[in-house]
Amino acid sequence: EFMNKVKTIALDVDGVLLDFTRACDEYVKKNLGIEPIKKLDGFNLNFISMKTRYGLGSDEDVLILLDKMVADGFYKNIPALDGVKEAVDKIKSLDYKIIVITAIHDGAKNDRLENLKNILNLVPDEIYCVGMGKSKSQIIKEVHPDIFVDDRMKYLKGGDKVFHSVWVDQEESQEGDETLVNVHVKSLKEWTDRYLELVTENLNEYYEGAHTQIPLKLESVDRKYKESKDKPLPEEEYQELLKVATHRIR
């Protein structure tokens, strides 16, 4: 059943292809006058949650902000992360089917596609918009990619049946438990430079009929909190830091 299967890679967008965090920080500062919270009680912070990063008062405030961003065309103009154009070109050259699985809502899909086309010359074969913070596990089960690349541990945990999973570590505070991934890198380019050709060779051998076992060299990722580069932050202290002063955006 796998003899003619096309090699498939599933790519996250924000934090893997595009520099969403930097663009969002700039947007929020310009349009709302809010500075991201980056330091509390002497700890250097890099919160991944928009509610916490910008001190928003409720989940409803986050949704209001996201709707405003869509209305303002924010998703059309997010810059690429360093080295991503070269990395994407390399993936395309090896005849992968490219699937984008992104945690935005459908209202931003066309802007996202325009953005990817304009800055990366990337037109994905398929795109799935699961909604902000929603699980990607069901989509992963349905499309069954060979490779899954994301910057969020909680999404990678849902891809535990993927042949090769890649954590792009942006040194942001993470949600969820420690999980298992195949490789832990700092950028998509680092992964394509170090691992793509080997993984592709293994996949080609498998789908061409050799049926060799694709090596799943699982490594336990040391997912300690990223709030301090000097030492991990105890859970109770981490939760205390989440209780920040709030802003209202309405």
Side-chain angles (χ1 to χ4, degrees):
E1 84 183 278
F2 294 111
M3 293 291 285
N4 298 314
K5 186 178 185 298
V6 178
K7 300 187 302 293
T8 304
I9 183 169
L11 297 171
D12 177 38
V13 178
D14 299 315
V16 172
L17 301 177
L18 305 181
D19 196 350
F20 175 88
T21 298
R22 178 165 63 91
C24 193
D25 283 353
E26 293 173 356
Y27 175 90
V28 169
K29 182 177 180 179
K30 177 181 178 181
N31 291 276
L32 303 178
I34 296 175
E35 291 277 2
I37 297 168
K38 296 184 178 180
K39 181 171 288 191
L40 281 176
D41 295 338
F43 285 99
N44 292 320
L45 307 176
N46 198 12
F47 286 119
I48 204 166
S49 161
M50 291 178 69
K51 179 179 175 181
T52 307
R53 187 177 185 87
Y54 304 122
L56 302 178
S58 67
D59 292 337
E60 183 182 0
D61 284 341
V62 176
L63 295 177
I64 293 170
L65 173 58
L66 291 171
D67 286 343
K68 177 174 173 52
M69 290 163 65
V70 173
D72 289 346
F74 170 83
Y75 288 94
K76 294 180 181 180
N77 298 298
I78 303 174
L81 288 159
D82 290 344
V84 164
K85 177 65 166 62
E86 181 181 343
V88 167
D89 287 346
K90 191 169 186 178
I91 293 168
K92 289 162 64 176
S93 74
L94 295 172
D95 298 322
Y96 276 90
K97 178 180 180 180
I98 299 176
I99 297 174
V100 162
I101 306 177
T102 179
I104 61 174
H105 58 73
D106 269 338
K109 179 189 288 187
N110 289 338
D111 288 353
R112 171 124 294 175
L113 288 169
E114 180 180 331
N115 193 184
L116 294 174
K117 170 65 175 174
N118 287 343
I119 67 169
L120 296 175
N121 194 29
L122 172 60
V123 179
D125 296 282
E126 298 174 18
I127 181 170
Y128 298 90
C129 300
V130 301
M132 179 66 72
K134 305 296 184 182
S135 173
K136 298 181 180 181
S137 60
Q138 186 57 43
I139 298 298
I140 292 296
K141 289 176 183 177
E142 291 175 6
V143 302
H144 197 70
D146 300 301
I147 302 166
F148 178 30
V149 186
D150 209 298
D151 67 321
R152 300 286 291 273
M153 299 296 285
K154 70 175 186 178
Y155 295 141
L156 288 163
K157 187 174 183 179
D160 57 353
K161 302 301 182 185
V162 173
F163 280 143
H164 184 79
S165 56
V166 183
W167 177 30
V168 177
D169 180 6
Q170 296 291 350
E171 296 191 345
E172 294 175 316
S173 59
Q174 296 282 332
E175 305 165 14
D177 298 326
E178 182 175 328
T179 187
L180 295 175
V181 297
N182 293 104
V183 292
H184 171 188
V185 293
K186 295 295 185 183
S187 68
L188 184 66
K189 186 175 187 302
E190 180 187 350
W191 177 73
T192 57
D193 287 347
R194 295 177 59 186
Y195 299 104
L196 176 58
E197 291 182 1
L198 175 61
V199 174
T200 301
E201 182 180 332
N202 287 325
L203 286 169
N204 285 340
E205 288 177 359
Y206 187 86
Y207 288 126
E208 287 170 5
H211 294 285
T212 53
Q213 179 63 42
I214 296 175
L216 296 180
K217 299 177 180 177
L218 295 178
E219 299 176 5
S220 180
V221 176
D222 184 15
R223 188 205 60 82
K224 296 191 182 298
Y225 292 119
K226 299 293 183 179
E227 286 78 4
S228 170
K229 294 184 180 299
D230 300 319
K231 61 181 180 180
L233 195 64
E235 176 66 20
E236 60 272 16
E237 292 185 35
Y238 175 70
Q239 292 301 326
E240 283 299 314
L241 287 177
L242 297 183
K243 300 174 183 177
V244 296
T246 61
H247 300 281
R248 306 300 289 184
I249 65 173
R250 283 181 295 226

